């Protein structure tokens, strides 16, 4: 029987988006696990204790990632259906199937040299900064943080520069669609495009992630490569955009960071670490389904029902965090943990810190025009995403003396083709 005390708490409301940590504090009365509603009629268990979260993430024998036992319960038009329905990729599979897809991704990403990636981020950042630098004001979410990861992925997957506008439109179309019809149209166009790209790379491989996936010893089929690309770009886009935006919001509203532009002590990496602990890009995800009825730290969870991890609540859980000095920065759960932990965390942090450093080095007096506590957040049970991040700065012009974002990228000192295979095509967008 559902009583007031056990009624699932909605994670899709505006109140939750405004202050999720107040909701997590309220949920702590349940212990390490609490009943929540992800969308109307979609009920789940949210793990909010640190140790309980680790237990789920590190125990694939008990907790499966495959939603097919449950997804028939999802209302077909539910807004969370795309995030929770099974697909043929690493996120929704266990065991050997998962390991095969995951190895193809980790092996392929390992061929990208960090300095080549940094150079790509510099050129992509400069290109975006050129669009607003002479204006003196910008929405850092719409014009920078959300635009940058998509352009980077285009390059990494070897999509020709001239296709980048329509590819970015399709990707944004299916990830940020306002209706299922719009999402489906974008998805079909992107899928068709990717099939052509994969066929072309099979015919004539280049030095890019698509070719490396095609050539991988896992012998992925054409459809599997297409699904890997789609999964990786969508898994990477939202959290990377939020990591950049949330860290910039912290930095540009706090004088301790502001001073660093010339002389202070705190850096972009500090802001990223702070965000990963205290305001992570994904607040809750890692959906699992127990293979049998389980008792998780005092809560009975029924076999085949969804269990999500609240990285945000677990990171800040007051009582069950490991005791002792917390000098390590590796123990937050914001990249998850266990077999499905984010396989691309180092590149993701490198992209984010480089993008922030590049922006603040060109626009060194950039400041928010809205106080931090008046910023607004997009509703939704999974992400921690700002709706906008308005900022102001002293404009800079293309014909300005010395190096500027317009002339520096043209004379970049780092060669564009620079990876461990010497042939990588992480070219400028
Ligand atoms: C370059 C950018 C990124 C790429 C390409 C990427 C890619 C991926 C992929 C392929 C997975 C699935 C792993 C698996 O199931 O075995 C994954 C999982 C995950 N990623 Fe990332 N990621 C990126 C950035 C980030 C960032 C910035 C965050 C947040 C701090 C993040 C958090 C996570 C989490 C929490 C999971 C586990 C999801 C789950 O199991 O449900 N990722 N990522």
């Amino acid at each position: 029987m559902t009583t007031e005390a056990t009624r699932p708490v909605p994670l899709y409301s505006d109140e939750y988006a405004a202050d999720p940590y107040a909701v997590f504090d309220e949920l702590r009365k349940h212990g390490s696990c609490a009943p929540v509603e992800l969308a109307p009629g979609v009920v789940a268990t949210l793990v909010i204790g640190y140790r309980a979260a680790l237990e789920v993430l590190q125990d694939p024998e008990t907790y499966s990632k495959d939603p097919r036992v449950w997804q028939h319960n999802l209302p077909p038009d539910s807004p969370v259906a795309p995030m929770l329905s099974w697909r043929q990729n690493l996120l929704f599979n266990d065991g050997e199937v998962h390991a095969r897809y995951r190895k193809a991704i980790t092996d392929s990403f390992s061929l990208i040299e960090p300095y080549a990636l940094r150079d790509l981020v510099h050129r992509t950042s400069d290109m975006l900064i050129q669009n607003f630098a002479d204006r003196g004001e910008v929405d850092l979410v719409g014009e920078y943080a959300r635009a940058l990861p998509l352009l980077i992925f285009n390059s990494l997957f070897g999509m020709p520069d001239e296709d980048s506008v329509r590819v970015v439109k399709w990707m944004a179309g299916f990830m940020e669609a306002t209706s299922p019809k719009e999402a489906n149209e974008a998805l079909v166009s992107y899928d068709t495009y990717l099939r052509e790209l994969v066929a072309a790379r099979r015919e004539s491989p280049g030095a890019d992630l698509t070719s490396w996936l095609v050539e991988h010893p896992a012998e992925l089929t054409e459809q599997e490569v297409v699904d890997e690309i789609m999964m990786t770009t969508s898994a990477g886009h939202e959290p990377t955009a939020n990591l950049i935006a949330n860290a910039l919001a912290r930095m540009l509203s706090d004088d301790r960071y502001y001073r660093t532009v010339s002389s202070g002590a705190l850096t972009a990496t500090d802001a990223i670490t702070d965000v990963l602990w205290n305001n992570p890009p994904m607040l809750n995800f890692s959906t699992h389904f127990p293979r049998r009825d389980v008792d998780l730290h005092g809560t009975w969870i029924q076999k085949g029902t969804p269990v999500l991890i609240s990285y945000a609540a677990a990171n800040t859980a007051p009582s069950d965090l490991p005791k002792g000095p917390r000098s390590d920065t590796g123990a937050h759960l914001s990249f998850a943990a266990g077999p499905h932990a984010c396989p691309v965390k180092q590149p993701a942090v490198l992209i984010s810190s480089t993008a922030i450093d590049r922006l603040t080095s060109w626009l060194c007096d950039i400041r928010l025009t809205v106080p931090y506590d008046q910023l607004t957040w997009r509703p939704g049970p999974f992400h921690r995403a700002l709706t906008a991040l308005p900022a102001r700065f002293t404009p800079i012009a293309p014909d300005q003396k010395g190096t500027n974002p317009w002339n520096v990228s043209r004379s970049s000192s780092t060669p564009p083709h620079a990876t461990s295979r010497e042939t990588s095509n992480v070219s400028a967008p």
Side-chain angles (χ1 to χ4, degrees), residues 344-401:
V344 190
K345 56 185 177 181
Q346 279 90 0
V349 168
L350 190 149
I351 291 169
S352 307
S353 59
T354 307
I356 293 173
D357 279 338
R358 196 67 168 180
L359 180 90
T360 51
S361 61
W362 286 131
L363 310 174
C364 47
D365 63 352
I366 190 163
R367 288 283 205 155
L368 297 190
T369 55
V370 175
Y372 185 87
D373 57 6
Q374 284 173 30
L375 293 171
T376 54
W377 304 84
R378 276 185 11 231
F382 309 118
H383 53 242
R384 185 62 171 154
L386 284 159
T387 52
L389 191 59
R392 196 173 293 139
F393 51 88
T394 305
I396 52 174
D399 53 5
Q400 175 165 315
K401 263 198 180 150

Side-chain angles (χ1 to χ4, degrees), residues 259-273:
R259 282 199 306 269
T260 65
V261 170
S262 52
S263 62
L266 294 178
T267 63
T269 308
D270 294 313
I272 285 173
T273 304

Side-chain angles (χ1 to χ4, degrees), residues 65 90-91 98 102 105 109 153 231-232 235-236 239-240 243 276 281 285-287 311 334-336 339-344 348 351:
K65 290 277 289 175
L90 60 170
L91 198 57
H98 168 249
R102 187 168 167 107
I105 290 287
F109 268 90
F153 292 140
M231 194 274 141
T232 309
T240 307
L243 186 54
L276 288 171
F285 202 40
S286 288
T287 315
Y311 319 114
S334 298
F335 284 110
H340 287 267
C342 183
V344 190
I351 291 169

Side-chain angles (χ1 to χ4, degrees), residues 201-381:
R201 287 297 181 276
R202 213 180 271 290
E203 196 62 25
S204 134
D208 53 62
L209 287 170
T210 304
S211 303
W212 297 332
L213 285 170
V214 165
E215 292 173 333
H216 194 271
E219 297 186 352
L220 302 174
T221 63
E222 182 184 282
Q223 186 60 50
E224 285 175 325
V225 176
V226 168
D227 289 345
E228 290 270 70
I229 300 174
M230 282 225 188
M231 194 274 141
T232 309
T233 47
S234 34
H237 166 65
E238 178 75 31
T240 307
N242 297 346
L243 186 54
I244 296 170
N246 298 0
L248 273 169
R250 276 277 205 275
M251 268 181 98
L252 302 183
S253 59
D254 182 335
D255 277 350
R256 289 171 308 156
Y257 289 103
Y258 180 66
R259 282 199 306 269
T260 65
V261 170
S262 52
S263 62
L266 294 178
T267 63
T269 308
D270 294 313
I272 285 173
T273 304
D274 179 1
V275 161
L276 288 171
W277 273 102
N278 300 309
N279 199 26
M282 300 294 284
L283 293 174
N284 318 302
F285 202 40
S286 288
T287 315
H288 289 77
F289 301 86
R291 298 175 199 270
R292 52 180 171 78
D293 292 355
V294 285
D295 174 358
L296 181 61
H297 287 228
T299 301
W300 271 103
I301 305 175
Q302 222 186 325
K303 169 183 173 180
T305 58
V307 176
L308 276 82
I309 306 300
S310 178
Y311 319 114
N315 286 349
T316 52
S319 57
D320 76 344
L321 280 172
K323 299 275 180 279
R326 305 296 303 281
S327 59
D328 62 319
T329 52
H332 63 72
L333 298 183
S334 298
F335 284 110
H340 287 267
C342 183
V344 190
K345 56 185 177 181
Q346 279 90 0
V349 168
L350 190 149
I351 291 169
S352 307
S353 59
T354 307
I356 293 173
D357 279 338
R358 196 67 168 180
L359 180 90
T360 51
S361 61
W362 286 131
L363 310 174
C364 47
D365 63 352
I366 190 163
R367 288 283 205 155
L368 297 190
T369 55
V370 175
Y372 185 87
D373 57 6
Q374 284 173 30
L375 293 171
T376 54
W377 304 84
R378 276 185 11 231

